[in-house]
Amino acid sequence: LNLLCRIRRAFPAPLRMLGGIYRKVEEENRQIRLQLSQSQGLAAQPVEGNYGNQQWAASADTGPEDVENTAEERANHSECSRSPTAEKCELIHVACVCAGHNASRDVVTLVKSILFHRRNPLHFHFITDTVANQILSTLFQSWMVPSVQVSFYDADELKSEVSWIPNKHYSGIYGLMKLTLTKALPSNLSKVIVLDTDITFATDIAELWAIFRKFTGNQKQVIGLVENQSDWYLGNLWKNHKPWPALGRGFNTGVILLYLERLRRIGWEQMWRLTAERELMSMLSTSLADQDIFNAFIKQNPVLVHQLPCFWNVQLSDHTRSEQCYTEVSDLKVIHWNSPKKLRVKNKHVEFFRNLYLTFLEYDGNLLRRELFGCPSQASSESTELQHALEELDEDDQCYDFRRERIMVHRVHLYFLQYEYTPTDDGTDVTLVAQLSMDRLQMLEAICKHWEGPISLALYMSDAEAQQFLRYAQASEVLKNRKNVGYHIVYKEGQFYPVNLVRNVALRNVNTPYVFLTDVDFLPVYGLYDYLRKSIVQLDMANTKKALVVPAFETLRYRLSFPKSKAELLSMLDMGTLYTFRYHVWTKGHAPTNYAKWRTATTPYKVEWEADFEPYVVVRRDCPEYDQRFVGFGWNKVSHIIELDAQEYDLIVLPNAFMIHMPHAPSFDISKFRSSPSYRYCLTTLKDEFHQDLSRKYGSAALKYLTAQRNI
């Protein structure tokens, strides 16, 4: 039916010349419209509230120019034959208030649903707190979606505009900030679509944008809203329920068309303030944040509102009447999860809505990096640099895929879960830094039990896996009670595991002056956090370049009675329950730790760098990052230790620190290394290029690394 509508708009005359097939489709079309007309009789009835001689219909988007529309056309919610559309390549502006970690996650799903359907360039305007700004700016910068611009506005600068309004709504002060958009957004921005974060689009947002054209027939209309779909403003939900004044059922502000230019012209800022001050004298506080003030304003100035069809804001709240807005899936335009229960809200069709939402929640965001053909796009500097770097690669190079992975930009969602950190007074705090993928998720609870300090974890996952992790973390008593763990999602793309890129994401987002660089399959000895902080002071790490080595051991047992002291560990080492790490397969990796000396050591001791040494270390946060050319298995940590040594870090082994590697199945990358000659050849090639770069960077001092490598 939708396809037929588009064809009819493009080729009206030729279609009338078609034969039986066309008439058959037309008859089916007529029958569908008739059924819709009959089934929507209730939805088309006038509702309470009117001004002048005009009554409010549950799904009206009509002005005087629409009077001649037939009943058949009005009954068809989709109105495909006459739906307004935005101009091709017209820039659509969307505004959203977003604060905190949870709202930032919600925004991503909203944006995905918009990008999935869109055919126009977009400019998102986010009013954010510090947390959401960091999360969303990093996300969009790494997402690099063509024909999408993003601007941020500091919510702290707007708080004084609304902080005087008492608000009982769970959104807090941020639930009032849509009132300030005429001031917050650029003065040359004439109109904008304003959305709550709990919105899901089921159609092209350009259709909603095009409704602004209907405002032009009435210069007084400044705001477009959908009627509220519950009885809240009728005041009959419970005894003594006293809502704010509203026109009939009132309006819901989850989806707003704001004609900013006209609002500024009529003095919006002063008008809403006067309205709020007047009503607060009797109401004392708002219950539904900005929505109460918008409705009180409209009650006094009904001519300024343009009512949108209700399918532009299908509200899944408690006591909702939203079922009157649709009879077919094609009727749905925007779904609004405006109940505090969100996906658990009671609704006859909630399963369908939930599945639609989950589709975008788990949708691969990389697939939305598509160009808008026919529309000029000003590429970002990051996108241009990436394109130039890709063009310089030789696709016939045997190691092309490895080189491409080094420059690939992965989407990054910082602080995926709630994060709280309070700095220590003594400046010795240290963060455990690690990376993981879905197959190591089971290690998280154990690490949190062994390490009470702050943790920065980067997780390499797909969009769907990220949601599985979210559900896992929210169901875990251990994880949900730990707020000092920063979880940063690096979204999967490409054929290799970009292990050092993922490590760097975790390293860059540390808030402490020191970091413990480890892997997620190691468990530190209980009390290591406090021991490291004392060692940092004793070894004057604030004024010297040191890397504190935490000796690594391993067990082949999945169930282990974890040693609580060095003495217990040595006993288990002698009994064969534990081993020095990789003693059987890769002795060189940790041999320079000098385990024999460590057994009896009571004070820290210095060791020298040796080829292939890859200990786990504690360093200052400003240490070199990991070299991102090394992906998958091989040399990803070795290269980092070389860099530390080249920068003259002293390697100091701690006598009473240790960590134990827990057993797990081999990774996919190590299997590729063992089975693929091409993989091993490219790793050797990357090593040689790494040494060349060291020589350019450090001069003759780097010769020892090349010499040591050749002597292996």
Side-chain angles (χ1 to χ4, degrees):
L1 178 58
N2 289 333
L3 176 61
L4 177 61
C5 292
R6 291 197 293 271
I7 294 173
R8 290 178 65 190
R9 286 197 297 268
F11 309 104
L15 268 174
R16 293 189 181 93
M17 299 169 62
L18 293 178
I21 296 178
Y22 168 70
R23 286 193 293 271
K24 180 179 179 182
V25 173
E26 279 290 274
E27 176 59 23
E28 292 176 354
N29 191 5
R30 192 186 70 79
Q31 291 295 331
I32 291 173
R33 287 177 175 170
L34 182 60
Q35 293 172 15
L36 286 171
S37 177
Q38 294 172 346
S39 62
Q40 294 177 13
L42 180 58
Q45 294 297 315
V47 297
E48 294 187 33
N50 62 77
Y51 63 90
N53 294 320
Q54 181 169 341
Q55 290 182 310
W56 292 84
S59 60
D61 190 3
T62 59
E65 69 273 20
D66 296 312
V67 171
E68 295 182 2
N69 292 347
T70 64
E72 183 179 67
E73 288 173 324
R74 293 168 62 86
N76 187 348
H77 276 220
S78 296
E79 292 184 328
C80 62
S81 61
R82 52 189 305 279
S83 290
T85 57
E87 295 289 337
K88 181 176 176 61
C89 301
E90 181 180 359
L91 181 61
I92 295 174
H93 293 270
V94 181
C96 189
V97 179
C98 180
H101 302 85
N102 296 339
S104 298
R105 283 201 313 272
D106 292 339
V107 161
V108 177
T109 308
L110 163 62
V111 169
K112 280 184 182 180
S113 70
I114 293 174
L115 293 177
F116 181 84
H117 297 286
R118 66 108 179 209
R119 288 180 244 172
N120 284 67
L122 298 169
H123 190 153
F124 289 100
H125 302 264
F126 292 112
I127 291 83
T128 60
D129 65 350
T130 304
V131 170
N133 187 307
Q134 181 184 13
I135 295 171
L136 295 178
S137 61
T138 302
L139 176 68
F140 278 96
Q141 186 176 8
S142 58
W143 203 343
M144 295 194 303
V145 183
S147 301
V148 170
Q149 303 173 50
V150 183
S151 298
F152 293 92
Y153 310 86
D154 189 355
D156 287 342
E157 295 181 0
L158 300 171
K159 284 183 177 179
S160 60
E161 300 290 323
V162 292
S163 58
W164 56 275
I165 304 173
N167 179 27
K168 294 180 180 178
H169 194 257
Y170 61 83
S171 59
I173 192 170
Y174 299 100
L176 296 163
M177 287 193 175
K178 283 183 283 188
L179 295 165
T180 71
L181 290 181
T182 53
K183 181 175 182 178
L185 299 180
S187 58
N188 61 348
L189 183 59
S190 64
K191 49 186 182 286
V192 67
I193 297 173
V194 186
L195 303 172
D196 280 356
T197 59
D198 52 0
I199 291 288
T200 305
F201 266 77
T203 192
D204 189 348
I205 195 171
E207 296 179 34
L208 179 58
W209 180 261
I211 296 177
F212 273 117
R213 294 185 193 170
K214 295 197 172 186
F215 284 38
T216 60
N218 182 348
Q219 290 294 326
K220 294 182 179 180
Q221 293 183 338
V222 297
I223 183 170
L225 291 165
V226 171
E227 185 187 48
N228 201 45
Q229 290 160 16
S230 78
D231 290 348
W232 177 273
Y233 286 109
L234 298 181
N236 58 12
L237 292 182
W238 59 80
K239 188 177 180 180
N240 298 325
H241 175 218
K242 185 183 178 184
W244 275 54
L247 197 64
R249 293 188 176 277
F251 294 90
N252 183 277
T253 56
V255 177
I256 314 176
L257 299 187
L258 280 187
Y259 217 122
L260 298 172
E261 181 181 2
R262 296 181 185 176
L263 281 166
R264 296 185 182 109
R265 197 184 305 150
I266 66 172
W268 164 252
E269 291 181 33
Q270 183 180 11
M271 293 178 74
W272 75 256
R273 283 175 176 274
L274 291 173
T275 299
E277 290 170 357
R278 181 183 65 249
E279 298 302 332
L280 284 171
M281 293 178 66
S282 59
M283 299 303 300
L284 303 182
S285 68
T286 62
S287 296
L288 299 182
D290 66 84
Q291 184 168 298
D292 284 339
I293 298 173
F294 271 108
N295 273 289
F297 170 80
I298 292 170
K299 175 80 171 181
Q300 295 296 316
N301 306 277
V303 73
L304 299 180
V305 72
H306 180 95
Q307 186 171 359
L308 304 176
C310 65
F311 49 63
W312 281 115
N313 185 352
V314 177
Q315 301 150 37
L316 300 183
S317 59
D318 296 325
H319 314 292
T320 183
R321 300 168 69 249
S322 60
E323 293 172 17
Q324 298 179 17
C325 290
Y326 58 88
T327 58
E328 299 289 343
V329 173
S330 60
D331 294 336
L332 295 171
K333 302 287 188 182
V334 172
I335 299 168
H336 186 187
W337 302 90
N338 61 322
S339 166
K341 300 176 183 176
K342 300 305 177 187
L343 298 188
R344 302 189 309 276
V345 69
K346 293 182 179 180
N347 180 281
K348 187 166 64 175
H349 303 114
V350 70
E351 195 63 32
F352 170 79
F353 295 129
R354 188 184 293 123
N355 288 337
L356 181 65
Y357 174 82
L358 293 177
T359 297
F360 292 115
L361 189 71
E362 301 184 355
Y363 189 82
D364 184 352
N366 299 324
L367 300 178
L368 298 169
R369 287 171 167 163
R370 57 177 183 261
E371 293 282 352
L372 292 181
F373 294 107
C375 294
S377 175
Q378 185 176 359
S380 64
S381 58
E382 295 85 358
S383 179
T384 302
E385 290 174 9
L386 176 61
Q387 187 60 37
H388 288 164
L390 287 172
E391 290 172 355
E392 291 176 1
L393 297 181
D394 179 7
E395 293 191 30
D396 295 327
D397 181 0
Q398 184 176 346
C399 302
Y400 170 81
D401 290 332
F402 285 82
R403 301 188 196 285
R404 185 177 185 275
E405 184 62 51
R406 180 185 183 183
I407 61 177
M408 184 178 292
V409 178
H410 291 258
R411 274 183 305 134
V412 176
H413 187 134
L414 301 178
Y415 300 105
F416 199 64
L417 299 180
Q418 189 77 23
Y419 176 76
E420 298 171 8
Y421 171 70
T422 303
T424 58
D425 296 330
D426 57 5
T428 64
D429 211 357
V430 56
T431 297
L432 185 151
V433 177
Q435 54 77 34
L436 69 151
S437 54
M438 199 68 180
D439 58 349
R440 300 287 188 271
L441 206 57
Q442 72 279 3
M443 291 297 300
L444 292 186
E445 287 191 350
I447 284 181
C448 286
K449 291 177 181 177
H450 280 248
W451 178 272
E452 62 269 31
I455 301 174
S456 180
L457 294 174
L459 301 89
Y460 190 59
M461 295 178 166
S462 66
D463 293 72
E465 287 173 338
Q467 295 307 315
Q468 293 178 42
F469 158 69
L470 176 62
R471 292 190 289 270
Y472 171 79
Q474 290 174 336
S476 166
E477 291 296 327
V478 174
L479 300 186
K480 71 182 181 182
N481 290 325
R482 282 290 294 270
K483 302 302 182 185
N484 63 346
V485 181
Y487 299 100
H488 315 296
I489 306 296
V490 179
Y491 286 103
K492 283 184 176 180
E493 188 172 7
Q495 59 175 305
F496 295 107
Y497 191 130
V499 57
N500 278 356
L501 179 149
V502 182
R503 283 193 175 112
N504 285 338
V505 169
L507 180 57
R508 290 169 193 153
N509 292 282
V510 165
N511 297 303
T512 59
Y514 301 95
V515 290
F516 173 28
L517 305 177
T518 182
D519 277 334
V520 77
D521 40 14
F522 279 88
L523 292 180
V525 61
Y526 291 107
L528 182 62
Y529 171 62
D530 290 331
Y531 176 67
L532 291 181
R533 292 180 61 188
K534 293 176 183 176
S535 300
I536 286 168
V537 175
Q538 292 170 356
L539 295 168
D540 191 26
M541 287 189 64
N543 302 304
T544 58
K545 295 180 85 171
K546 291 186 176 72
L548 309 185
V549 176
V550 178
F553 299 85
E554 71 176 322
T555 180
L556 302 179
R557 300 183 179 184
Y558 283 88
R559 292 190 176 184
L560 177 72
S561 177
F562 202 92
K564 296 181 176 59
S565 65
K566 180 176 179 176
E568 283 188 29
L569 179 134
L570 292 175
S571 176
M572 297 172 73
L573 202 61
D574 293 336
M575 290 188 298
T577 306
L578 295 176
Y579 307 91
T580 56
F581 185 55
R582 291 291 183 259
Y583 169 78
H584 300 89
V585 292
W586 186 243
T587 307
K588 292 183 294 183
H590 293 266
T593 300
N594 194 344
Y595 288 99
K597 182 173 182 177
W598 184 82
R599 292 180 68 102
T600 58
T602 56
T603 58
Y605 59 92
K606 182 178 178 181
V607 296
E608 298 299 323
W609 173 88
E610 294 180 23
D612 293 322
F613 191 27
E614 52 178 1
Y616 296 96
V617 297
V618 178
V619 290
R620 290 203 305 255
R621 182 179 57 188
D622 61 357
C623 70
E625 291 191 346
Y626 291 87
D627 193 303
Q628 293 181 188
R629 84 186 78 203
F630 295 105
V631 297
F633 177 81
W635 254 57
N636 47 71
K637 292 191 297 292
V638 170
S639 58
H640 189 245
I641 297 300
I642 290 177
E643 189 90 26
L644 290 176
D645 187 69
Q647 293 193 14
E648 300 181 337
Y649 278 73
D650 290 331
L651 296 168
I652 308 296
V653 180
L654 296 175
N656 293 308
F658 62 85
M659 55 198 297
I660 299 176
H661 179 266
M662 306 306 291
H664 56 74
S667 68
F668 181 57
D669 289 290
I670 196 171
S671 300
K672 286 196 289 187
F673 171 82
R674 291 169 177 169
S675 63
S676 172
S678 175
Y679 194 111
R680 294 192 295 273
Y681 165 78
C682 288
L683 180 57
T684 302
T685 301
L686 294 177
K687 289 180 186 178
D688 293 340
E689 293 173 359
F690 172 76
H691 282 299
Q692 294 170 18
D693 290 344
L694 278 180
S695 298
R696 283 190 285 268
K697 192 173 182 180
Y698 300 107
S700 59
L703 289 175
K704 74 172 185 177
Y705 308 114
L706 182 59
T707 303
Q709 187 64 29
R710 288 174 175 172
N711 291 335
I712 294 177

